[in-house]
């Protein structure tokens, strides 16, 4: 293939010769992609990059030597860094996070369809990080879980500013009780409940009973 300014020069890195052969065959059908070399370990990948200066390295994660994660980290921090796309058979959170932390611009599974592989490399070279659909869904779910965990911790922090009696009032309000019912439940006067509730709203920065309920629910105190 004749090299042009629009050709994506790719280095394949995998310790399985069958995988390398399959990848070379797939990418060989793409007019705008040229495989300039191969490597079977992380150490060899560094040498081959210094020799060929590829635009993109398709990097297996688990290999002999320093391995794909460390090789990725070294490449993206080199003087002339290529884009690195992690390629793996193991779709796990640990591998995904480690690859992204190391600087990989993409994360693909080895069962990816040939047409999708070429398109993924094009997107990475265009500046669009690319994850396999399965990995992307899991990352989004994990992000949502982390957001929910942070919200719970923030709400719990606000709830910790309340006195024991104020917490009791807040929980009962969250359960839908009126001030009169809260007063009866806690053997307090309704005026005292109103005072406690006002203090609760100030401490939780809540403008209504609904706002109080939201924070109590997020803190999981009512459960």
């Amino acid at each position: 293939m004749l090299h042009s300014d629009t050709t994506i020069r790719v280095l394949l890195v995998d310790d399985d010769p069958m995988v390398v052969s399959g990848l070379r065959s797939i990418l060989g059908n793409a007019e705008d992609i040229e495989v300039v070399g191969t490597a079977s370990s992380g150490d060899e990948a560094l040498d081959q990059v210094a020799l060929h200066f590829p635009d993109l390295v398709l990097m297996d994660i688990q290999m002999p030597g320093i391995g794909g994660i460390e090789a990725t980290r070294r490449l993206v921090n080199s003087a002339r860094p290529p884009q690195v796309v992690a390629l793996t058979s193991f779709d796990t959170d640990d591998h995904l996070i480690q690859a992204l932390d190391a600087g990989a611009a993409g994360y693909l599974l080895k069962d990816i369809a040939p047409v999708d592989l070429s398109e993924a490399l094009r997107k990475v070279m265009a500046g669009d990080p690319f994850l396999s659909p399965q990995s992307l869904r899991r990352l989004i779910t994990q992000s949502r879980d982390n957001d929910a965990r942070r919200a719970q911790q923030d709400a719990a922090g606000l709830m910790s500013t309340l006195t024991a009696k104020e917490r009791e009032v807040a929980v009962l309000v969250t359960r839908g009780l009126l001030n009169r019912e809260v007063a009866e439940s806690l053997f307090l006067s309704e005026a005292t409940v109103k005072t406690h509730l006002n203090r609760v709203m100030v401490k939780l920065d809540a403008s209504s009973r609904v706002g109080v309920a939201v924070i109590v629910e997020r803190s999981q105190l009512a459960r």
Side-chain angles (χ1 to χ4, degrees):
M1 179 185 295
L2 294 177
H3 174 62
S4 71
D5 291 339
T6 59
T7 299
I8 302 172
R9 304 176 71 252
V10 178
L11 177 73
L12 303 178
V13 185
D14 198 295
D15 62 343
D16 186 338
M18 293 293 290
V19 172
V20 172
S21 177
L23 291 172
R24 184 187 286 275
S25 177
I26 291 171
L27 297 179
N29 293 322
E31 294 184 357
D32 59 339
I33 297 176
E34 177 187 3
V35 176
V36 297
T38 64
S40 59
S41 69
D43 306 84
E44 189 179 354
L46 300 180
D47 293 336
Q48 290 298 307
V49 167
L51 179 64
H52 297 289
F53 294 107
D55 301 310
L56 185 148
V57 177
L58 195 54
M59 180 81 73
D60 186 22
I61 289 180
Q62 292 188 315
M63 292 183 298
I66 63 174
I69 297 296
E70 180 57 28
T72 296
R73 183 174 290 107
R74 295 188 189 184
L75 287 177
V76 299
N77 288 292
S78 63
R80 189 173 170 179
Q83 296 288 348
V84 180
V85 174
L87 185 68
T88 181
S89 300
F90 306 98
D91 188 22
T92 66
D93 288 343
D94 285 345
H95 285 155
L96 174 60
I97 298 303
Q98 287 174 12
L100 297 181
D101 284 346
Y107 187 88
L108 305 177
L109 301 183
K110 291 183 179 180
D111 62 358
I112 186 172
V115 64
D116 293 335
L117 174 61
S118 300
E119 187 59 29
L121 302 191
R122 294 186 186 103
K123 287 183 177 180
V124 168
M125 288 308 301
D128 297 325
F130 188 91
L131 302 180
S132 69
Q134 304 96 310
S135 301
L136 181 59
R137 285 193 295 270
R138 199 171 64 253
L139 196 62
I140 291 173
T141 298
Q142 188 178 69
S143 177
R144 288 173 177 169
D145 290 344
N146 289 340
D147 287 344
R149 191 176 301 111
R150 283 192 292 271
Q152 188 272 329
Q153 291 172 343
D154 290 344
L158 288 173
M159 292 298 295
S160 69
T161 66
L162 304 182
T163 66
K165 190 60 66 177
E166 288 167 353
R167 284 197 296 272
E168 288 181 319
V169 169
V171 169
L172 292 177
V173 166
T174 298
R175 293 173 180 168
L177 273 65
L178 301 175
N179 287 353
R180 173 180 53 78
E181 295 170 320
V182 174
E184 292 174 354
S185 179
L186 298 179
F187 303 102
L188 300 172
S189 69
E190 192 169 344
T192 300
V193 169
K194 288 181 179 179
T195 298
H196 283 313
L197 183 56
N198 287 336
R199 290 173 180 168
V200 167
M201 293 172 67
V202 169
K203 290 181 179 180
L204 300 186
D205 194 23
S207 59
S208 66
R209 300 169 75 94
V210 172
V212 170
V214 168
I215 294 174
V216 172
E217 282 298 324
R218 283 179 180 168
S219 72
Q220 301 184 4
L221 180 64
R223 303 177 192 179

